[in-house]
Amino acid sequence: MADLALHRLSKRYGENDVVAGIDLEVGAGEFVSLLGPSGCGKTTVLRMIAGLIAPSGGSVLIGGADMTLLPPHKRQLGLVFQSYALFPHLSVRDNVAFGLRRQGVRGAELSRRVAEALALVRLPHLAERMPRQLSGGQQQRVALARAVAPRPRLLLLDEPLSNLDAQLRDEMQIEIKRLQRELGITSIFVTHDQGEALSLSDRVCVMNQGRVQQVGPPEDVYHNPANGFVAGFIGRSNRLRGRVAMKGGGAIVLQLPGGTELRGLGDVPLGAEAEAIIRHEAVRVTEGEGVPGVVVMRAFAGARVQLLVRLDTGTELLSEAPTIDDAYPLQPGMRVGVDIDPRAVFIAEPGR
Amino acid sequence: MNEGRIPTVLLLAGAVILLFLLVPVVVVVLAAFSNTEYLAVPPQGFTLRWFAQVLQDETYLASIRFSLVLAVTATALAAVIALPACYALHQRWLPGAETIAGLLMSPLIFPAVVVGVALLQYAAMVGLRGSFPFLVLVHAAIVSPYIVRTVLGSLAGFDPALEDAARVLGTTRAGAFALVVLPSIRPGLIAGLVFAFITSFDEFTVTVFLLPPGQATLPVTMFTAIEQGVDPSVAAVSTLMIVVTGLLLLLSERLSGASRPI
Amino acid sequence: MTRERTAGLLLITPLGLVLLLAFVAPVLLMLPTSLHGYVPGRGITPGWTLENYTALFTDSYYHEVLARTLGLGLGVTVLCLLLGYPLAFVLARLRGAAAAWVTILVVFPLLLNVVVRSFGWISLLANRGLINNALVQFGLIETPLRMMFNLTGVMVGLTHIFLPFMVLMLVAALRALPRDAEAAAAALGAGPVKTFFLVTLPLTAPGMFAGSVLVFVLSISALVTPRLLGGPTYRVMSTVIYDQFLGTLEWPAGAALAFVLTVIALLIVAVAGLVTRRWTLAR
């Protein structure tokens, strides 16, 4: 049975559907990300799960029990915030003990559980500090300990990495994943950062404009986007306009201005205007055969190299390849052939 | 404004003006120690007898008690009714929260003397003339804007996620307010309470119209004494008030770290 | 949404009720009183009349009181500006402990009881007060100067009472100056004096305006200082109202005067608000 189930969950402010009827089931111990651009409703969904916002319609079931109308303090959840939200007037120990005390845990048992939670985030030595004496990364780890100490039924994480700088973010990402595995706790992770979502999650739920666009394992969402929005939002892509020249069996041939034909996947009526979304890494540039063009620009970024290629028809494409790849030695001005993997070309109606 | 040297002329002018602000205060304190029946500065001789006289004068003692009870109850009442209102305004549970907050400040813009006579007439009309509870209510209304202002200001700087965190961790809204919100806004709240207390204790213009017969607040008693003629015992009472006010100012400064109570 | 609105209403009701009952209702109930007559010995007459208001425009005594009140307000405002600006200018440039201490010294008189502060000025300005004693002692004058129960006393006292307000408003305005405006003027070749008149003064004009409005409105409605330093003879609107309510018991006339004072104060505040809004929009 699903640990968390959302049925037709919606939130409307006036005429504005912030969340427009969402269905989602999360299994026990699963780590699911809600991924989408800002304003897509993902945080609203999380706050409705927590009980901090009352839904306009639909229901929230946790462990099979309907919690839609239950206030947050009766739901036994853990929530980690972007701003850490540590209580500034309480020590680290008292912050972590806060939820336990509300459950009536006292005395030696309380001390043991606090120590346990702090050990889990590897900060047992900072118990007596005040939050303002901690670094951002330490604060977020304390927040994590505070959230899991009362053994919540769900762990909710609201953009917990966004306030950290890049290096810390990577460390915290691993920390969160490790903790979630050790505790086997069902987790919902809200983020706008696809990198975080893809690397942390068992499944990713892509949202846009209050609706679920696709739910699936990271590989699936990446390689088989359900629609144009997912294809464009996940990964980094070129976008080319054209007209559908042929279609059949899920494959489409798009005719670009200048005559180049591009094969890809999708479902757009014959003759219609369409947009091809081509991942940077699907554009292979070699000195050998392929659509002819010339390298316009080259940008070296450590492990990867980016090439901007202008095809002889005038179309420009960005390509990205590992630096050990054949494309590495190519320099601006060189004549090249471009080859595009049709399985990584997604064709959709424009603006989707 | 840039840092930099301040022209000497300006520094001097500033010092003189600051002196103008402080001279009456200093004069009163010095006069309180003078061993003469009239005010004299510099004091001629040194005596504490004016203080002793004041502290044995039942009129003064009664009015100090009266003022203290009035100011404490009015401040407490104002806090009890203002805090929930501030919370509701901060949460934006009501439409037009800005306008409502503005209305709650309105006691500040009415001339006090007008409020005083209006209340006198009203109290006479509804049979509350000289009623102590009514006076407390009026003082609570007068000082509430100061509490509303400081509390709303503190709440504006409060991270709402803290309250959410407390609620998800198992407290009710009321519990979260007591355990998390209140401790977080404490410095601002204390500054507001101190200022409200001082305002209530010092209030003259409205109070004078509403006093119960035979009783008076300290400022009213002093006012009456001054109108009847000036002697050093008034200076002694004034000195006591100066000292207490100074201590309260330093206290709220220490507790809130804010140097701008208005 | 509705639940929150109900909760909000419940939470705001106690304060709203207190303000309504102990503030708004009484002030509104003054209006009908001001429209009755008064006969000494018999009290308030039942019939409606406008004579309390017409008297304010026809009676030369009221003319004098009105003119004196407004003139005093204007004088105090100008004095506060002239004294407040230099002090605020210095305070705004101070840093660290010096700034904190000067701020405390400016705020302190503000918190001090007005009766105490007026008493301080009585000790200084009275016929047998410190200033006169000193002047006589040094042989500079024969008979004491009259500095109380007249314009001088009240003006000095009120300026002292309201100067801290002006200073704090001006300091806020000066500290809010765009950091580099003065430096830019200096870099463009303006000397310190020119910089002050071309940049600092115009940029702090809104602060000066706000401070002036505050001081003016507070001065024309002050009671304690005009009463103690002006005495029973040198009267302004508020002291006349005081006497009419607690002394002669001419409540209708007092109510009319109180109503006029309120209208003047509220009008000034409202007009100032409009001007300020225009000002901010124009920038």
Side-chain angles (χ1 to χ4, degrees):
Chain A
M1 187 182 56
D3 223 26
L4 167 72
L6 309 178
H7 290 310
R8 313 204 56 73
L9 191 65
S10 67
K11 183 67 193 181
R12 145 184 288 268
Y13 290 109
E15 290 297 290
N16 191 9
D17 281 311
V18 178
V19 177
I22 278 194
D23 288 290
L24 180 67
E25 296 208 341
V26 180
E30 208 181 357
F31 192 115
V32 173
S33 290
L34 299 181
L35 171 66
S38 62
C40 74
K42 55 191 191 298
T43 294
T44 308
V45 171
L46 194 83
R47 293 175 67 81
M48 286 195 283
I49 298 172
L52 293 168
I53 296 180
S56 309
S59 55
V60 176
L61 278 74
I62 299 173
D66 190 333
M67 302 233 166
T68 316
L69 299 175
L70 219 57
H73 64 276
K74 292 189 178 156
R75 297 193 182 198
Q76 290 183 40
L77 307 179
L79 178 50
V80 178
F81 297 84
Q82 180 176 350
S83 64
Y84 322 136
L86 293 182
F87 305 130
H89 59 294
L90 298 179
S91 67
V92 166
R93 176 194 305 284
D94 287 332
N95 263 282
V96 176
F98 193 94
L100 293 166
R101 288 211 168 98
R102 305 284 90 70
Q103 291 180 349
V105 180
R106 293 281 186 277
E109 169 74 356
L110 181 72
S111 310
R112 196 182 60 73
R113 295 271 295 273
V114 170
E116 198 179 277
L118 283 174
L120 211 55
V121 295
R122 293 184 281 195
L123 290 176
H125 53 293
L126 296 182
E128 305 307 327
R129 295 274 183 90
M130 296 306 277
R132 64 175 174 280
Q133 299 171 300
L134 304 182
S135 71
Q138 288 170 332
Q139 288 194 40
Q140 196 56 295
R141 271 149 69 181
V142 173
L144 209 53
R146 181 179 70 177
V148 299
R151 299 191 185 131
R153 293 195 254 201
L154 290 179
L155 179 60
L156 309 174
L157 303 120
D158 187 4
E159 307 244 4
L161 306 176
S162 305
N163 273 10
L164 303 173
D165 56 43
Q167 186 140 18
L168 265 175
R169 200 177 303 165
D170 291 346
E171 279 174 33
M172 268 309 284
Q173 207 167 314
I174 295 164
E175 194 83 4
I176 288 175
K177 188 72 183 170
R178 190 181 57 82
L179 187 112
Q180 194 263 340
R181 276 287 130 78
E182 272 177 40
L183 297 173
I185 186 170
T186 311
S187 304
I188 310 294
F189 181 89
V190 162
T191 181
H192 65 271
D193 183 312
Q194 49 169 311
E196 290 172 9
L198 294 174
S199 58
L200 278 170
S201 318
D202 297 320
R203 283 191 302 151
V204 177
C205 171
V206 185
M207 289 182 63
N208 189 35
Q209 295 182 341
R211 287 170 211 280
V212 172
Q213 304 293 319
Q214 185 173 6
V215 187
E219 290 84 354
D220 222 33
V221 172
Y222 191 87
H223 290 301
N224 304 310
N227 57 36
F229 173 79
V230 180
F233 186 72
I234 308 264
R236 298 199 286 176
S237 307
N238 298 286
R239 287 166 178 271
L240 298 178
R241 284 288 184 93
R243 193 167 295 277
V244 178
M246 263 198 291
K247 69 174 287 191
I252 286 184
V253 176
L254 195 69
Q255 182 144 31
L256 302 178
T260 320
E261 289 194 338
L262 185 65
R263 297 199 305 133
L265 306 169
D267 185 18
V268 186
L270 201 60
E273 179 100 356
E275 190 175 49
I277 295 153
I278 310 159
R279 295 265 152 72
H280 293 166
E281 72 269 21
V283 181
R284 284 192 34 87
V285 185
T286 58
E287 286 180 279
E289 297 198 356
V291 185
V294 64
V295 177
V296 178
M297 186 211 79
R298 173 178 180 278
F300 173 71
R304 308 183 74 79
V305 63
Q306 280 193 333
L307 295 171
L308 182 63
V309 179
R310 186 184 300 123
L311 304 183
D312 291 353
T313 56
T315 307
E316 288 194 344
L317 283 173
L318 248 181
S319 158
E320 191 174 306
T323 38
I324 50 166
D325 202 84
D326 294 343
Y328 178 53
L330 297 177
Q331 295 297 333
M334 289 171 71
R335 295 287 305 170
V336 290
V338 173
D339 183 31
I340 297 174
D341 182 353
R343 289 167 305 175
V345 176
F346 192 82
I347 296 172
E349 282 168 57
R352 285 284 315 271
Chain B
M1 195 100 195
N2 295 305
E3 253 180 278
R5 286 181 304 108
I6 306 167
T8 322
V9 189
L10 266 177
L11 266 181
L12 247 120
V16 169
I17 297 162
L18 199 58
L19 208 65
F20 166 74
L21 274 178
L22 299 174
V23 154
V25 182
V26 175
V27 161
V28 166
V29 174
L30 288 180
F33 295 99
S34 177
N35 196 6
T36 46
E37 292 296 322
Y38 53 90
L39 287 178
V41 173
Q44 305 181 1
F46 176 85
T47 178
L48 290 174
R49 73 176 153 122
W50 302 112
F51 289 94
Q53 186 178 323
V54 164
L55 294 176
Q56 284 160 6
D57 185 335
E58 194 40 48
T59 316
Y60 276 126
L61 292 180
S63 39
I64 290 173
R65 276 195 297 272
F66 185 86
S67 283
L68 278 178
V69 173
L70 175 60
V72 168
T73 38
T75 304
L77 176 63
V80 167
I81 59 180
L83 273 172
C86 290
Y87 184 74
L89 289 179
H90 175 68
Q91 295 283 355
R92 310 213 158 263
W93 281 347
L94 292 165
E98 314 273 330
T99 314
I100 295 174
L103 285 177
L104 295 183
M105 298 291 176
S106 58
L108 293 179
I109 54 169
F110 278 83
V113 64
V114 175
V115 177
V117 296
L119 283 164
L120 167 63
Q121 190 208 313
Y122 178 74
M125 210 181 279
V126 296
L128 286 171
R129 199 167 174 185
S131 148
F132 182 73
F134 183 66
L135 188 58
V136 169
L137 212 64
V138 167
H139 269 230
I142 292 173
V143 304
S144 65
Y146 301 108
I147 299 181
V148 168
R149 182 153 50 183
T150 47
V151 170
L152 276 184
S154 303
L155 282 174
F158 172 78
D159 179 4
L162 290 179
E163 194 187 358
D164 292 341
R167 294 178 65 208
V168 171
L169 285 168
T171 63
T172 58
R173 250 187 207 287
F177 185 76
L179 289 172
V180 174
V181 181
L182 221 45
S184 299
I185 62 167
R186 200 176 56 186
L189 179 62
I190 288 176
L193 291 180
V194 168
F195 200 66
F197 174 85
I198 293 179
T199 305
S200 168
F201 194 93
D202 283 350
E203 215 297 322
F204 175 90
T205 313
V206 174
T207 314
V208 71
F209 293 99
L210 299 174
L211 287 172
Q215 299 191 53
T217 61
L218 185 57
V220 173
T221 303
M222 291 172 67
F223 180 88
T224 315
I226 293 169
E227 282 210 314
Q228 282 164 3
V230 170
D231 76 75
S233 67
V234 180
V237 190
S238 299
T239 304
L240 291 177
M241 288 188 74
I242 290 167
V243 169
V244 172
T245 307
L247 288 179
L248 280 175
L249 175 63
L250 289 179
L251 176 80
S252 79
E253 190 86 1
R254 188 56 52 85
L255 287 174
S256 67
S259 55
R260 310 243 322 269
I262 64 150
Chain C
M1 212 54 183
T2 355
R3 271 189 57 195
E4 292 184 343
R5 199 163 288 189
T6 317
L9 272 177
L10 277 175
L11 290 176
I12 209 161
T13 301
L15 180 58
L17 222 58
V18 166
L19 286 180
L20 205 68
L21 289 180
F23 193 77
V24 180
V27 171
L28 290 180
L29 283 172
M30 281 240 302
L31 188 56
T33 307
S34 69
L35 297 171
H36 287 291
Y38 176 83
V39 179
R42 277 205 298 142
I44 298 166
T45 58
W48 300 96
T49 172
L50 278 174
E51 66 183 36
N52 296 312
Y53 289 97
T54 48
L56 297 180
F57 294 99
T58 51
D59 193 326
S60 64
Y61 170 69
Y62 280 127
H63 280 178
E64 197 190 324
V65 167
L66 267 166
R68 181 181 292 161
T69 308
L70 298 179
L72 203 59
L74 212 60
V76 170
T77 307
V78 170
L79 268 180
C80 280
L81 263 180
L82 289 179
L83 294 178
Y85 211 105
L87 182 52
F89 194 83
V90 171
L91 177 49
R93 286 189 178 227
L94 290 176
R95 290 289 178 275
W101 276 107
V102 174
T103 307
I104 287 183
L105 289 181
V106 171
V107 170
F108 180 62
L110 191 68
L111 293 179
L112 203 57
N113 194 301
V114 272
V115 177
V116 173
R117 295 163 73 185
S118 303
F119 172 66
W121 283 109
I122 292 176
S123 345
L124 285 161
L125 301 178
N127 277 352
R128 314 194 59 191
L130 301 170
I131 296 179
N132 273 322
N133 281 353
L135 291 179
V136 171
Q137 209 170 325
F138 290 120
L140 290 171
I141 51 170
E142 298 276 317
T143 49
L145 294 174
R146 212 170 113 81
M147 290 180 289
M148 253 177 71
F149 305 138
N150 61 9
L151 185 70
T152 318
V154 180
M155 187 106 96
V156 169
L158 284 177
T159 303
H160 181 254
I161 303 281
F162 298 124
L163 183 55
F165 286 109
M166 182 66 93
V167 172
L168 292 178
M169 296 284 255
L170 291 177
V171 166
L174 283 164
R175 291 218 168 118
L177 276 188
R179 268 186 168 281
D180 299 326
E182 290 174 340
L188 290 170
V193 177
K194 214 164 197 171
T195 303
F196 177 78
F197 284 105
L198 289 179
V199 177
T200 316
L201 204 59
L203 281 177
T204 49
M208 291 165 62
F209 179 67
S212 301
V213 168
L214 182 71
V215 168
F216 184 80
V217 169
L218 289 174
S219 315
I220 60 169
S221 41
L223 172 65
V224 175
T225 309
R227 179 72 192 191
L228 288 179
L229 291 169
T233 47
Y234 189 81
R235 295 156 107 197
V236 292
M237 284 171 88
S238 58
T239 51
V240 171
I241 296 170
Y242 176 82
D243 285 336
Q244 282 170 334
F245 269 82
L246 288 185
T248 60
L249 301 183
E250 293 171 79
W251 286 16
L257 200 55
F259 208 77
V260 170
L261 181 58
T262 311
V263 168
I264 293 175
L266 292 187
L267 258 182
I268 289 171
V269 170
V271 170
L274 278 180
V275 170
T276 312
R277 201 159 307 151
R278 280 271 170 84
W279 222 327
T280 28
L281 285 182
R283 290 184 171 217

